[in-house]
Amino acid sequence: MSTRGFFVVALVVSLLVAGVASYYASSHPDGLEYVAEQTGFLGSAEDSATADSPLADYQTSGVDDARLSGGLAGVIGVVVMLVLSTGLFWLVRRRETADSEG
Amino acid sequence: MHVPDGFLDAPTSVATGVVATAAVAVALRGARRELDDRTAPMAGLVATFVFAAQMVNFPVGAGTSGHLMGGALAAVLAGPWTAVLCLSVVLVVQALLMADGGITALGTNITLIGIVTVAVGWAVFALLRRVLPSRLAVVAPAAAVGALLSVPVAALVFTGLFALGGNVPVDLGAVLAAMLGWHTVIGIGEAVVTGLVVASVVSSRPDLVHGARSLLSERELETRTIEIA
């Protein structure tokens, strides 16, 4: 598989996982939240300062359909992640030697 | 295991913030050696996939769920220093954009998910690579075992932090037992996802897998020797 082809497949898989598969995720509390509830310290959790963000809890505010709201938040998250992380790694990377850049 | 604001007191949160900042600074230097024109886009996609996969909680029974943490996966695919940066970007985006994991808890979450799971996942993987035969077939199973152990160790470190700076006095033995128990089960899910993803990348493009690269250069070297002979 070409490098370009591989990267396209990886991006499409990420978009499908965040945009479609996430709708079918378990809504049960995660391990830490469950243990906090069982052992009695869940009450000390505070709302995040970003709790009113338009994408808080992976839901897009103003979009009523649950599947669309979560899917859109996932797709936006994937695009933001791709730009930020690829940008960071491109800046950090080792440059080729001067003569090979030629 | 995203820790919300409020679980840990201010001194503990500041301390984990210092640890996380130092680790990211060191990782920025270390990642230079792992990233070039070809592997930098690969690392960006690894971070992006980990973000996506963390959205999909899988049930682990009794009304509990877990999701991939991705430390072992990112370390094997992109290299351990790059993996610390991958997970840090994921956690910053989740905290700022999705309100997942607290803001004052960001240092704690980077410490647990960005440092502990990467360090344990990579250490176990590297150890297994050393004792197992040098074959591509061992890469995915070794990554899976690293993933399996990384989750309960992160749970153990959380419990240690909670013992030092938990805001609510509760029975620490009960917290420890429950954290370890549930996160051992979640670790099985982590191992399955990590093993499957690493196996599929190894089968299509092993040269893009950081943890498999030394196996490929050995193979290349053998081919050349035969050609010269």
Side-chain angles (χ1 to χ4, degrees):
Chain A
M1 190 186 283
S2 74
T3 305
R4 194 196 173 92
F6 177 86
F7 288 164
V8 169
V9 169
L11 179 58
V12 169
V13 168
S14 300
L15 285 168
L16 288 176
V17 169
V20 181
S22 59
Y23 180 75
Y24 302 95
S26 166
S27 53
H28 289 306
D30 74 2
L32 173 62
E33 204 181 333
Y34 183 81
V35 171
E37 194 187 358
Q38 295 292 306
T39 55
F41 66 92
L42 185 61
S44 66
E46 292 161 11
D47 264 355
S48 166
T50 56
D52 296 327
S53 128
L55 297 177
D57 294 324
Y58 304 91
Q59 297 295 316
T60 313
S61 63
V63 179
D64 291 335
D65 182 72
R67 192 184 286 265
L68 199 63
S69 181
L72 194 58
V75 167
I76 295 170
V78 161
V79 172
V80 170
M81 275 304 303
L82 187 71
V83 170
L84 280 184
S85 57
T86 309
L88 171 72
F89 295 134
W90 195 252
L91 287 175
V92 171
R93 84 190 192 286
R94 180 174 74 238
R95 308 296 203 273
E96 299 303 320
T97 50
D99 48 63
S100 76
E101 259 174 355
Chain B
M1 130 151 21
H2 292 60
V3 178
D5 290 327
F7 274 8
L8 299 176
D9 63 16
T12 311
S13 300
V14 170
T16 57
V18 170
V19 168
T21 308
V24 168
V26 175
L28 280 168
R29 295 178 68 90
R32 246 183 95 74
R33 276 176 274 129
E34 297 166 351
L35 296 168
D36 57 28
D37 286 4
R38 214 167 42 102
T39 55
M42 174 65 181
L45 282 164
V46 169
T48 304
F49 176 78
V50 168
F51 170 87
Q54 287 200 358
M55 285 182 69
V56 185
N57 281 54
F58 46 82
V60 290
T64 315
S65 72
H67 61 68
L68 182 82
M69 294 208 196
L73 176 68
V76 171
L77 290 181
W81 297 116
T82 305
V84 171
L85 301 178
C86 284
L87 271 297
S88 299
V89 176
V90 168
L91 290 161
V92 167
V93 168
Q94 287 172 333
L96 295 184
L97 219 54
M98 310 296 184
D100 187 13
I103 303 283
T104 62
L106 189 53
T108 303
N109 283 318
I110 289 179
T111 302
L112 293 173
I113 302 172
I115 303 172
V116 173
T117 71
V118 169
V120 173
W122 180 255
V124 171
F125 173 80
L127 184 75
L128 288 174
R129 276 286 322 278
R130 196 167 298 172
V131 298
L132 291 172
S134 291
R135 291 207 200 101
L136 274 182
V138 306
V139 173
V145 177
L148 176 72
L149 294 174
S150 69
V151 180
V153 174
L156 189 67
V157 175
F158 170 80
T159 309
L161 291 173
F162 193 77
L164 290 171
N167 268 335
V168 179
V170 295
D171 178 2
L172 285 172
V175 174
L176 178 66
M179 282 300 284
L180 272 183
W182 285 114
H183 288 90
T184 302
V185 185
I186 295 170
I188 297 171
E190 179 93 11
V192 170
V193 176
T194 303
L196 288 175
V197 173
V198 171
S200 55
V201 182
V202 164
S203 69
S204 53
R205 286 299 299 267
D207 58 309
L208 290 174
V209 178
H210 181 91
R213 208 154 295 149
S214 61
L215 297 170
L216 295 174
S217 58
E218 275 168 33
R219 204 160 63 173
E220 227 169 88
L221 207 65
E222 278 169 30
T223 318
R224 278 181 200 155
T225 316
I226 293 162
E227 273 169 7
I228 292 162

